[in-house]
Amino acid sequence: MVTVLLDSIVKRLSPYEKKSATRMATILDPRFKKIGFQHMSNAEQAAHCFENELTALMNKDSSNDTNVEPISTNKDPLFDYIGNKARSMARNTRSDAIIAKRQYLERPLSQQDVDPLLWMKVNQTDFPAIKTLMLKYFCIPATSVQSERVFIKAGQIVSDRRTRLKEENVNILLFLNQNLWLTSSETTE
């Protein structure tokens, strides 16, 4: 029975490895990274997409930066020359993205009970671009159950017999009662 259930789970969930949002969310999760994929080819494609997203994000960030020449306080012209040479060197965002990706993927996996967003908060100075990607992909809800509940409840509240309800009252009935239900269910657990 256990093997049948595991096979069924693998069969049902394997198509999600090929979808870009779930692929990115898996590789960005510090608990899974490349290990979270059933097939190594999907993990490699996810790493490639991850690298492309990092490059695009770094290109966007570098185009927003303004190049302001710092005023030299050195009295030695040798240091002025070195500073000017360093400023004139072009940055390659693709290589920066590859380095950031490798540094992130080569770190050991996090504990399974670690919240990925808290992990990112602790490590945000090491991975500022990856933090932006995490916030982008981790905000996607895994299911639509909550929104379906709200639609069903709205259909029950706003009916043919209650067509004159004000918008504010509908919002109070839908969302205030839902929040009260959520807080009461959390305290009973």
Side-chain angles (χ1 to χ4, degrees):
M1 175 103 166
V2 172
T3 56
V4 170
L5 286 174
L6 288 175
D7 290 340
S8 176
I9 289 171
V10 168
K11 180 181 174 185
R12 288 178 185 250
L13 296 181
S14 62
Y16 291 104
E17 281 191 8
K18 296 178 182 173
K19 298 189 185 291
S20 61
T22 52
R23 184 182 280 174
M24 285 297 294
T26 302
I27 203 159
L28 285 169
D29 194 323
R31 300 169 298 175
F32 304 126
K33 297 181 183 177
K34 283 182 156 183
I35 307 296
F37 293 91
Q38 290 286 327
H39 303 289
M40 208 51 204
S41 63
N42 290 335
E44 291 303 321
Q45 289 174 351
H48 184 69
C49 290
F50 179 43
E51 182 181 313
N52 289 338
E53 290 257 355
L54 275 175
T55 303
L57 187 64
M58 289 179 173
N59 278 334
K60 182 179 163 187
D61 287 346
S62 67
S63 67
N64 291 340
D65 292 344
T66 57
N67 293 332
V68 177
E69 293 289 324
I71 300 171
S72 175
T73 58
N74 297 325
K75 296 186 191 243
D76 190 355
L78 175 65
F79 288 109
D80 286 341
Y81 170 76
I82 292 172
N84 290 335
K85 181 120 174 141
R87 280 189 296 279
S88 68
M89 292 176 62
R91 292 192 60 179
N92 186 346
T93 54
R94 174 61 87 179
S95 62
D96 290 345
I98 291 170
I99 291 168
K101 178 190 83 168
R102 286 191 63 199
Q103 286 175 343
Y104 172 72
L105 292 177
E106 288 177 359
R107 281 217 178 160
L109 295 177
S110 296
Q111 300 281 329
Q112 291 298 314
D113 60 344
V114 171
D115 182 2
L117 294 174
L118 290 177
W119 181 91
M120 189 75 258
K121 190 173 186 179
V122 171
N123 296 292
Q124 67 186 346
T125 55
D126 296 339
F127 307 111
I130 295 174
K131 176 188 175 195
T132 305
L133 288 178
M134 275 186 159
L135 294 175
K136 176 181 175 182
Y137 283 100
F138 284 179
C139 71
I140 301 170
T143 65
S144 62
V145 172
Q146 194 64 29
S147 61
E148 292 294 330
R149 284 186 187 146
V150 172
F151 283 126
I152 290 170
K153 189 159 187 136
Q156 292 170 347
I157 291 172
V158 181
S159 64
D160 292 336
R161 300 178 126 226
R162 296 176 123 184
T163 57
R164 296 193 57 167
L165 279 173
K166 293 182 180 177
E167 183 180 340
E168 305 91 40
N169 293 339
V170 173
N171 284 336
I172 289 171
L173 289 170
L174 280 176
F175 298 111
L176 183 64
N177 288 339
Q178 181 182 9
N179 291 340
L180 290 174
W181 178 79
L182 287 174
T183 56
S184 66
S185 68
E186 289 172 358
T187 56
T188 57
E189 289 178 353

